[in-house]
Amino acid sequence: MIVRLAKTVVMVGMMGAGKTAVGTALARQLGVPFLDSDEEIVRAANRSIAEIFERDGEPFFRARETEVISRLLRGTPCILSTGGGAFLSAANRRMIHDVGVSVWLRADLDLLWQRVRHKTTRPLLRTANPRETLRELYEARMPLYAEADLVVDGAPDLSVEDMAHSVRQALLTRP
Ligand code: S3P
């Protein structure tokens, strides 16, 4: 199916929610471009997210994140996956709300933890107790993710394709 998107669909939610995987599948199902703000930041900086956090600090990363999202939102409508912290800034939320449709991929903490526990690439989880850090981030962030236009729930038995289908349905039936 090839559609013409009226607005960019912005995937938001916690690390491990499946924003990139589901966004990629959704873009393929709809025949529209897929972009990932983390990937764009990494490409422009020519180093990994972990290296950027380590060498330049989180505020530098967040500034690049806002710039990249702002630039991508001005381009052709696409499916845009964002990093888990992108929707926390009020300025980013406003910008996304003004031009795009935000979709919160919601998943419970156990599922998120199962997905991220063996990955060492996420700088925010390089703590003495990453499970506890993930829980703290989750609790602090939930009310902000809840400001997204749409919510789609993940579950352990749902495939990426199923999730992409649920997002499509949510987009089609949104008020
Ligand atoms: C972050 C999530 C990461 C990445 C960075 C910060 C966060 O993206 O942007 O490590 O603040 O939750 P994913 O959500 O794709 O893991």
Side-chain angles (χ1 to χ4, degrees):
M1 172 161 82
I2 303 217
V3 300
R4 256 199 73 221
L5 280 181
K7 290 177 165 192
T8 286
V9 176
V10 185
M11 315 297 290
V12 306
M14 285 291 286
M15 312 172 224
K19 301 178 296 288
T20 298
V22 174
T24 305
L26 177 66
R28 201 176 39 234
Q29 287 180 10
L30 297 176
V32 300
F34 171 78
L35 291 167
D36 184 310
S37 61
D38 278 352
E39 247 174 53
E40 299 280 324
I41 297 166
V42 165
R43 188 175 325 141
N46 202 23
R47 31 179 203 265
S48 69
I49 305 266
E51 283 165 347
I52 298 173
F53 267 70
E54 211 169 287
R55 285 171 50 174
D56 309 300
E58 183 172 350
F60 176 88
F61 173 80
R62 297 298 174 200
R64 300 291 80 71
E65 187 171 54
T66 296
E67 277 168 15
V68 160
I69 293 172
S70 157
R71 174 171 60 79
L72 298 179
L73 283 173
R74 279 183 266 117
T76 310
C78 66
I79 309 298
L80 171 60
S81 171
T82 59
F87 209 59
L88 307 182
S89 115
N92 289 358
R93 286 200 301 283
R94 193 170 324 110
M95 177 165 86
I96 292 169
H97 188 72
D98 284 350
V99 239
V101 182
S102 50
V103 180
W104 174 22
L105 286 192
R106 185 167 58 185
D108 70 27
L109 188 58
D110 288 335
L111 179 59
L112 297 172
W113 176 242
Q114 288 316 314
R115 295 211 184 119
V116 301
R117 61 183 301 176
H118 298 302
K119 307 226 175 91
T120 54
T121 50
R122 291 174 167 102
L124 292 181
L125 296 182
R126 289 179 173 173
T127 62
N129 187 346
R131 172 79 167 79
E132 180 56 16
T133 304
L134 187 70
R135 191 190 62 75
E136 285 166 9
L137 291 173
Y138 181 82
E139 280 176 13
R141 292 174 171 193
M142 277 238 280
L144 299 174
Y145 294 142
E147 291 184 23
D149 297 311
L150 299 169
V151 185
V152 171
D153 281 307
D157 56 339
L158 283 179
S159 70
V160 165
E161 294 298 324
D162 289 340
M163 288 286 297
H165 184 75
S166 301
V167 175
R168 237 166 78 192
Q169 287 306 112
L171 287 168
L172 287 172
T173 54
R174 96 192 155 98

